[in-house]
């Protein structure tokens, strides 16, 4: 179920340029994202852990949210060809609040968004 964006996160989103996305649709908590499988959405929460799966097919980088790996409830999957385009780097997002935009898919009982570009991941920073 969508939730109301906390005041601090809303302020951060407004400052980081996500204002139109935050107003246009409700933020989805990582633990609720699986309920929205097959739909486009904006999943917002803290990146608990990043993992570069260099020995996996496609060498993706994962941003795990909604709990620590392997008990997380949501992942953003960044393809290898986009990894170098991220500023800050995916590893620098660990411990930060972010919003991930895209189509929510189900993957092994969890939710996942396949990130197409850095524009799909918005860092929520308070300035």
């Amino acid at each position: 179920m969508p939730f109301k964006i906390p005041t601090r996160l809303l302020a951060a989103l407004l400052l980081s340029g996500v204002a139109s996305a935050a107003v246009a649709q409700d933020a989805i908590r990582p633990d609720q994202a699986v309920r929205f499988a097959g739909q486009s959405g904006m999943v917002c929460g803290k990146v608990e852990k990043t993992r570069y799966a260099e020995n996996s097919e496609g060498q993706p980088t994962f941003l795990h949210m909604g709990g620590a790996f392997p008990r997380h409830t949501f992942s953003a999957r960044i393809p290898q060809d986009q990894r170098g385009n991220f500023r800050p780097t995916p590893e620098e997002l660990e411990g930060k609040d972010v919003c991930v935009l895209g189509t929510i898919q189900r993957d092994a009982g969890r939710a996942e968004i396949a990130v197409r570009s850095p524009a799909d991941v918005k860092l929520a920073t308070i300035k």
Side-chain angles (χ1 to χ4, degrees):
M1 167 182 303
F3 72 104
K4 293 190 182 221
I5 299 173
T7 305
R8 279 183 61 122
L9 182 56
L10 181 57
L13 292 170
L14 293 171
L15 289 172
S16 69
V18 185
S20 60
V23 173
Q25 64 187 80
D26 290 328
I28 300 167
R29 293 190 329 240
D31 63 324
Q32 298 294 313
V34 74
R35 295 181 183 180
F36 296 87
Q39 300 177 38
S40 291
M42 177 174 67
V43 178
C44 297
K46 179 181 175 184
V47 176
E48 301 287 343
K49 182 76 176 161
T50 60
R51 185 172 66 92
Y52 176 39
E54 59 187 321
N55 295 322
S56 295
E57 182 180 336
Q59 298 181 315
T61 299
F62 295 95
L63 305 178
H64 297 303
M65 299 164 65
F69 178 83
R71 295 187 185 346
H72 60 288
T73 58
F74 175 81
S75 292
R77 182 172 33 89
I78 301 169
Q80 171 63 24
D81 66 345
Q82 289 296 315
R83 182 178 157 75
N85 296 331
F86 276 78
R87 300 291 180 265
T89 67
E91 288 75 16
E92 292 171 326
L93 295 174
E94 193 169 304
K96 308 281 191 218
D97 289 321
V98 301
C99 288
V100 182
L101 305 165
T103 302
I104 301 166
Q105 300 298 322
R106 182 181 286 267
D107 180 50
R110 296 181 177 97
E112 178 178 280
I113 290 179
V115 174
R116 294 170 294 150
S117 78
D120 292 343
V121 179
K122 303 294 184 183
L123 177 62
T125 57
I126 303 216
K127 298 181 181 181

